[in-house]
Amino acid sequence: MSWADKVETNDFQASAQKQWQKFQTGNLSFSDQKLEFTEPIFREGRKFAQIDAEEVKMQSANWSSAVICMVLGANPPMAVFEGFIKRVWGHLGIAQIARMTMGLTMVKFNDDATRDHVLEHGLIHFDRKPVIVRPWTTDLSAVRLVRTVPLWIRLQDLGLQYWGSKCLSALVSTIGRPIMVDKFTRERSRVQFARVLVEMEITDNPPKSIQFINELGQIMEQGVEYEWLPIKCKTCAGFGHSMAECRKERNVHWVKKIETQTEKEQDSGVQQNGKLKVEGDQASTGINTKQVEPEG
C-alpha cells in the first residue's frame, strides 16, 4: 500500500469514528427527539411496556382542538377534500389537516372554542353528500366511526330540572353515546329545548322518544327530534344519497376545484354575527341550505 493510500484510509477511519461518536452522544442534527430505553415490567411471566400517564395526558391535550371528518358515502382524494375544508373553515383558523385511515380526515383548529363552533353549527355537504364531523377523542375506533354518526337531537319542552349534565347524559345514553351540548343549552340562554350531540348507530328506525324514571319514581316519556338523519339508497343500500343520486354504475373522477376571486370573497364572508351565511351554489360552498339553525 502506498503512502497516499495509507493517509486516505486513516482519514476515512478517523472521520467514521468521529461520526459514530456524534451519533452516540446524540449530537446529530436530526436527533432532536431522542428516544431512550425504558425498562419493561414483568407480570405472570410476560413482558409489558409501561406507558407514561403524564405524557399521554399532555399529548391528548395537544389534539383536543381537532375534529374527525368523513364524507358519508364517498372517499374523495386528500387534495380535493383538503381544498374543500379550507374553503369552508379556513377563515376560522386551521392549524393542521391530515388524512387518517378508512377515509377519515383530521382537522385541527387553533383552539377548543373554534372546534366547538364548528360542531355546534351542524352539518355541511361535500358534493351533495353529508360530511360527518365529530370531536377527536382518545378512544377512536375506525370500525365504530364508520358504523356510527354524530347527530344533533332536540329534547323539546324538557323540564329545566333535567338540564344538568348528569341528567342529560342519562337521557341520551338510552339512544346513543353523548358527546356534548351546544352553547345555548350550556348557558341556559334558550329554554325551549335542550340540544345535545349524540353518537348513534346508523339505523333505519331511530327512536322517536326516550323513557325515563323521574325523581318521584314515575315513568316519563320525552320526545326526540332529529335535526338531520342519514338517508339510505335502495339501489346500493349505502347511506348518504338517494336512488336518483346513486353512482354505483357510474365512474366518478374527483377534480380539485380552482377558486375564483369571487368565490374567495364569498368564503371570507361565511361567518357573520355568529351564524353560518350561505351564499352562491350549495355544491360550491359546501353548506347545507336545509340545515336547521339553532335559535337564540
Side-chain angles (χ1 to χ4, degrees), residues 113 116-117 120 152 163 168 180-190 193-195:
D116 292 343
H117 173 84
E120 290 173 6
W152 281 105
W163 282 49
L168 289 176
M180 61 180 289
V181 298
D182 71 347
K183 174 184 177 181
F184 304 105
T185 303
R186 184 170 58 251
E187 298 177 353
R188 309 294 196 272
S189 58
R190 177 205 56 220
F193 56 86
R195 187 168 181 254

Side-chain angles (χ1 to χ4, degrees), residues 39-99:
E39 189 70 32
I41 60 176
F42 291 87
R43 290 182 180 177
E44 300 178 356
R46 293 190 295 174
K47 187 186 298 185
F48 297 90
Q50 182 66 45
I51 298 299
D52 191 312
E54 288 298 323
E55 185 181 58
V56 171
K57 184 178 180 180
M58 181 180 63
Q59 291 294 329
S60 299
N62 179 60
W63 299 105
S64 64
S65 62
V67 298
I68 306 301
C69 305
M70 180 185 68
V71 181
L72 192 61
N75 185 16
M78 179 59 184
V80 177
F81 191 67
E82 182 177 354
F84 166 79
I85 290 297
K86 290 180 178 179
R87 290 198 306 274
V88 177
W89 294 332
H91 65 285
L92 299 174
I94 298 176
Q96 182 181 355
I97 302 176
R99 174 55 63 92

Side-chain angles (χ1 to χ4, degrees), residues 15-275:
S15 176
Q17 291 176 356
K18 185 181 296 185
Q19 292 295 332
W20 177 247
Q21 290 175 355
K22 288 183 178 180
F23 178 79
Q24 287 181 318
T25 57
N27 292 327
L28 292 179
S29 59
F30 54 80
S31 60
D32 55 339
Q33 186 177 357
K34 185 175 65 173
L35 302 179
E36 58 184 19
F37 178 77
T38 302
E39 189 70 32
I41 60 176
F42 291 87
R43 290 182 180 177
E44 300 178 356
R46 293 190 295 174
K47 187 186 298 185
F48 297 90
Q50 182 66 45
I51 298 299
D52 191 312
E54 288 298 323
E55 185 181 58
V56 171
K57 184 178 180 180
M58 181 180 63
Q59 291 294 329
S60 299
N62 179 60
W63 299 105
S64 64
S65 62
V67 298
I68 306 301
C69 305
M70 180 185 68
V71 181
L72 192 61
N75 185 16
M78 179 59 184
V80 177
F81 191 67
E82 182 177 354
F84 166 79
I85 290 297
K86 290 180 178 179
R87 290 198 306 274
V88 177
W89 294 332
H91 65 285
L92 299 174
I94 298 176
Q96 182 181 355
I97 302 176
R99 174 55 63 92
M100 303 175 69
T101 60
M102 300 189 66
L104 305 177
T105 301
M106 184 197 67
V107 182
K108 181 182 178 183
F109 297 99
N110 293 328
D111 49 55
D112 293 355
T114 305
R115 175 208 60 191
D116 292 343
H117 173 84
V118 167
L119 292 171
E120 290 173 6
H121 278 77
L123 198 66
I124 60 175
H125 280 79
F126 173 85
D127 191 37
R128 294 182 295 179
K129 292 181 175 60
V131 179
I132 305 302
V133 182
R134 71 187 73 216
W136 180 90
T137 60
T138 57
D139 61 345
L140 285 178
S141 171
V143 176
R144 178 173 58 82
L145 288 177
V146 174
R147 294 179 180 177
T148 62
V149 293
L151 301 174
W152 281 105
I153 66 171
R154 295 182 177 186
L155 305 178
Q156 294 280 357
D157 301 322
L158 178 66
L160 295 178
Q161 67 271 26
Y162 304 125
W163 282 49
S165 59
K166 292 183 179 179
C167 286
L168 289 176
S169 297
L171 288 172
V172 301
S173 292
T174 61
I175 61 175
R177 181 174 175 268
I179 298 178
M180 61 180 289
V181 298
D182 71 347
K183 174 184 177 181
F184 304 105
T185 303
R186 184 170 58 251
E187 298 177 353
R188 309 294 196 272
S189 58
R190 177 205 56 220
V191 295
Q192 295 94 335
F193 56 86
R195 187 168 181 254
V196 188
L197 185 63
V198 186
E199 186 180 53
M200 300 177 55
E201 291 189 6
I202 300 178
T203 176
D204 293 335
N205 300 307
K208 296 295 190 297
S209 63
I210 295 173
Q211 290 187 335
F212 67 98
I213 302 175
N214 67 4
E215 64 279 9
L216 302 177
Q218 301 170 332
I219 297 178
M220 307 294 291
E221 186 170 352
Q222 171 63 46
V224 178
E225 179 182 327
Y226 298 90
E227 294 189 0
W228 168 83
L229 285 173
I231 59 176
K232 185 176 182 180
C233 176
K234 296 181 180 179
T235 301
C236 66
F239 287 89
H241 64 274
S242 61
M243 294 177 58
E245 299 171 339
C246 186
R247 297 178 175 178
K248 184 177 181 180
E249 305 298 333
R250 292 182 291 169
N251 294 324
V252 180
H253 300 281
W254 300 99
V255 179
K256 186 175 181 180
K257 181 177 180 180
I258 301 176
E259 286 186 298
T260 63
Q261 185 63 29
T262 303
E263 289 173 334
K264 291 181 179 179
E265 293 173 354
Q266 290 177 349
D267 290 337
S268 63
V270 170
Q271 183 186 13
Q272 292 186 358
N273 301 324
K275 294 185 178 180

